[in-house]
Amino acid sequence: MTFEPEQLGQSAHELAALLKNLRKTAKLPGERLAKRCNMSQSKISRIENGKVRPSLVDVEQILRALDAPSALVAEVMALARIANTEWQDSRNLRRKGLDKKQQELAGLEKSSRDFRYFLLSMITGLLSTPEYIRASLAHIAGDHSKTVARKLERQEALYDKSKRFTFILTEQAVRSPFVSREAMAVQIDRLASLTHLPNVRLGVLPIETSLPGNPLNTFTVYDERIATAELSAGVMVFRDPRDVRSYLDEFISYEELALFDEAARSKLGEWAAAYRA
């Protein structure tokens, strides 16, 4: 299916109204629909009022309970897919303020417990030194002091032992020189130090590693429920379980090949030493 970017994430209320209208047309009370779907009546109500974004499985169950014709099912499921996919373009993010994006990410990190990060070309803010963070924003005009502060605040999540983080970084991500040689060595030292946290697994993929497929994007998977993929022009947010599963499977394929623990620290030490030489 092809999506128009402006459609993505904008169809949730349209979907809610359509599902509510279909139930009323079928003259089926909310409590009876809930029973047929094995859902609570309050969940049906929240879905119809746009307070809860239904998963594709939820929508499929509702349509089946309403005996919707196949043509209508295809139309509504297509709308549900659009409602569960969101496009955040870089221009709008910058216009709203990059620190607002950091607040959104902090909220997502607060509500999630299991995180998987695949880092293709640079180090994420959660793992970065202040100097590296500032350098990563240098190409964007404006004062980024609030954004830098928010990124550093978000790093506190790494020390919450109720959360689990797995980071996989390519050699390119680790060694791309965003800052001076001395600062890069310090940044790589920080990565090595974080491997000692009990709830953090940090793996590296040396350049000689033969990877399955062809990695195209940095991406993150939150609790197997949301996946985000970073593109040059913005960020895609996926909630469809099939899309999330696709990214999770890709992550696992890289995880099986990555160096962790002492092997990762040894490789990181080698790369840091090269910057200090």
Side-chain angles (χ1 to χ4, degrees):
M1 178 187 296
T2 300
F3 298 137
E4 292 298 327
E6 61 271 14
Q7 288 181 293
L8 300 181
Q10 303 301 313
S11 303
H13 291 296
E14 184 181 346
L15 176 63
L18 179 56
L19 292 174
K20 185 174 185 178
N21 185 58
L22 289 175
R23 178 183 62 77
K24 289 187 173 182
T25 300
K27 298 181 179 179
L28 193 67
E31 59 270 19
R32 285 184 59 194
L33 176 60
K35 189 173 182 180
R36 288 188 184 184
C37 296
N38 196 27
M39 298 181 191
S40 67
Q41 184 181 353
S42 62
K43 181 175 180 178
I44 292 292
S45 177
R46 290 197 299 273
I47 288 174
E48 291 185 348
N49 290 319
K51 295 181 178 179
V52 167
R53 190 193 308 261
S55 69
L56 271 71
V57 173
D58 292 334
V59 175
E60 189 175 17
Q61 286 180 316
I62 291 171
L63 294 174
R64 190 184 303 119
L66 294 173
D67 295 322
S70 57
L72 182 58
V73 169
E75 179 183 337
V76 178
M77 291 302 293
L79 182 62
R81 183 84 188 276
I82 295 173
N84 277 278
T85 307
E86 181 181 347
W87 168 246
Q88 300 176 348
D89 71 86
S90 298
R91 292 185 303 277
N92 279 332
L93 291 176
R94 292 171 186 175
R95 186 160 51 247
K96 293 176 182 177
L98 294 178
D99 59 309
K100 301 296 190 301
K101 178 62 177 177
Q102 296 306 308
Q103 290 176 339
E104 177 187 326
L105 289 171
L108 191 52
E109 288 157 2
K110 184 176 181 180
S111 65
S112 303
R113 285 290 176 267
D114 201 351
F115 306 82
R116 296 173 176 89
Y117 294 81
F118 176 70
L119 306 172
L120 180 62
S121 58
M122 65 183 298
I123 300 168
T124 185
L126 283 178
L127 306 175
S128 298
T129 62
E131 188 169 354
Y132 189 99
I133 291 173
R134 285 190 290 270
S136 71
L137 298 169
H139 66 289
I140 304 172
D143 177 10
H144 301 302
S145 55
K146 288 185 179 179
T147 303
V148 173
R150 294 279 187 271
K151 282 177 175 281
L152 293 173
E153 286 172 9
R154 285 175 50 217
Q155 293 180 0
E156 294 178 10
L158 295 174
Y159 302 92
D160 182 346
K161 293 182 181 179
S162 69
K163 301 180 185 295
R164 290 182 53 213
F165 296 86
T166 305
F167 299 93
I168 297 177
L169 299 88
T170 65
E171 182 173 344
Q172 178 187 355
V174 176
R175 301 186 68 179
S176 292
F178 280 87
V179 290
S180 69
R181 297 184 67 86
E182 296 82 1
M184 280 302 303
V186 171
Q187 171 62 79
I188 296 173
D189 288 344
R190 171 168 168 74
L191 296 179
S193 71
L194 291 172
T195 64
H196 293 286
L197 291 178
N199 60 321
V200 173
R201 290 186 78 227
L202 191 151
V204 296
L205 292 167
I207 194 70
E208 63 269 17
T209 308
S210 179
L211 298 179
N214 182 25
L216 297 175
N217 306 105
T218 285
F219 63 86
T220 307
V221 181
Y222 300 87
D223 285 343
E224 302 184 18
R225 61 188 177 89
I226 295 176
T228 64
E230 297 183 24
L231 311 176
S232 297
V235 178
M236 290 288 290
V237 182
F238 301 96
R239 297 180 180 85
D240 183 337
R242 295 171 296 181
D243 295 326
V244 177
R245 186 72 237 179
S246 176
Y247 277 105
L248 185 59
D249 289 344
E250 183 178 352
F251 185 90
I252 291 171
S253 72
Y254 303 143
E255 187 176 15
E256 291 172 347
L257 298 171
L259 303 178
F260 287 95
D261 302 317
E262 191 54 46
R265 287 190 285 272
S266 176
K267 186 59 71 173
L268 289 167
E270 175 187 321
W271 294 339
Y275 270 115
R276 289 191 169 96

